[in-house]
Amino acid sequence: RVAGEFAAARRIQTGLLPSPTLVRDDPRVDLAASMTPAREVGGDLYDGFMLDEHRLCFMIGDVSGKGVPASLFMALTKTLAKSLARRERLPLDKLVRLVNDDVSRENPAAMFVSAIIGVIDARSGEAELCNAGHNAPILLPWSGSPRELDGAGGPPLCIDEQFPYTIQQIKLEPGDILLLMTDGVTEAENKHQAQYGTMRALECFTKERIGDAAQACSRLHEDVKKFTAGAPASDDLTILAIRFVQTGKASP
């Protein structure tokens, strides 16, 4: 009976997350995601949705802890963040401060969430990111080497209710891919307890060019699986990729 209840909880949780191909109707952006919980249910979250005709909002997050408590707080955080983003139409830094304030108030267990929330203009590739204690994103440029995007950030949500989060601005060129991941990727361990790390994530994209967002997710996920070689997962593993295509110009 307990196994059946966990299976039902997992179906409900995965049903709260969008399809792995997040944006189907806008040819200007290509989004994909994958999530593999370490247990029956997990505390990672991701989302992607249009705020208006041209602006796409995306997010990824990782709740402290594991199992059912993390999955419940994940559902609360994702639903609240999406609702506020669609309803309030605030500048990104103010939106993240509002999400931080609201999630902190609904937090009797004193949990916290590392997250990145961003907005990309599908006409120009101009993007804004706000990092709340999360792994730095990786940029996979169409021309050039993969690199980490260290920039503006702050503590995870629910740590400091009044923290003044700031915005990191970037410009994606046609064919560029923005890759976001939870620490289930970088902290994945093999049987010798060595961690996968950020450098391996960068190296796995240096051998050949990535054609789309789904391929970026699958490439990284398979490389992590190869590294861990069957060792039990210690954390949820979530990847979100956004490729800027730009309508009106030939895709690279």
Side-chain angles (χ1 to χ4, degrees):
R1 187 186 66 185
V2 172
E5 290 176 350
F6 270 121
R10 182 165 185 162
R11 288 194 299 271
I12 292 170
Q13 183 184 28
T14 54
L16 290 172
L17 298 171
S19 163
T21 303
L22 282 77
V23 178
R24 298 179 180 275
D25 301 324
D26 196 322
R28 300 172 294 181
V29 285
D30 168 29
L31 272 77
S34 67
M35 186 183 78
T36 306
R39 301 182 183 178
E40 289 85 353
V41 289
D44 283 2
L45 62 97
Y46 67 84
D47 209 344
F49 50 90
M50 300 302 292
L51 293 174
D52 52 40
E53 185 180 356
H54 301 295
R55 294 185 305 136
L56 169 74
C57 183
F58 56 90
M59 64 182 72
I60 190 170
D62 183 0
V63 176
S64 61
K66 305 281 192 303
V68 173
S71 71
L72 292 171
F73 204 65
M74 162 270 186
L76 169 68
T77 303
K78 176 191 170 297
T79 302
L80 185 59
K82 186 172 186 176
S83 175
L84 289 171
R86 283 181 157 171
R87 185 178 72 242
E88 299 296 337
R89 303 299 177 91
L90 294 169
L92 183 60
D93 54 342
K94 293 183 180 179
L95 171 65
V96 174
R97 292 176 205 173
L98 184 60
V99 172
N100 184 33
D101 181 60
D102 278 21
V103 175
S104 297
R105 278 181 291 164
E106 303 293 337
N107 188 17
M111 304 181 80
F112 61 87
V113 188
S114 71
I116 292 177
I117 302 178
V119 176
I120 180 171
D121 190 316
R123 296 165 294 186
S124 65
E126 294 177 349
E128 296 181 338
L129 305 172
C130 208
N131 190 331
H134 201 79
N135 286 35
I138 289 176
L139 177 65
L140 307 178
W142 181 252
S143 177
S145 301
R147 64 181 187 273
E148 253 190 319
L149 294 178
D150 289 324
L157 304 176
C158 304
I159 296 294
D160 181 352
E161 295 179 34
Q162 305 300 321
F163 187 83
Y165 289 97
T166 55
I167 295 172
Q168 178 182 14
Q169 296 181 326
I170 63 171
K171 175 74 163 60
L172 299 181
E173 300 297 335
D176 288 356
I177 295 175
L178 185 64
L179 193 69
L180 296 85
M181 69 195 77
T182 59
D183 59 13
V185 173
T186 54
E187 296 180 5
E189 295 184 351
N190 62 16
K191 62 182 179 181
H192 304 294
Q193 296 186 315
Q195 293 190 341
Y196 182 76
T198 302
M199 289 305 300
R200 285 188 177 90
L202 293 169
E203 289 169 3
C204 101
F205 292 105
T206 59
K207 297 176 183 178
E208 61 181 288
R209 190 167 285 169
I210 300 297
D212 57 36
Q215 185 183 6
C217 291
S218 61
R219 169 76 63 82
L220 183 56
H221 188 264
E222 289 302 316
D223 200 57
V224 173
K225 284 177 59 180
K226 181 179 177 181
F227 173 79
T228 56
S234 59
D235 202 354
D236 308 325
L237 193 159
T238 302
I239 305 165
L240 175 66
I242 307 153
R243 180 174 181 261
F244 177 51
V245 180
Q246 192 178 27
T247 296
K249 293 186 179 181
S251 176

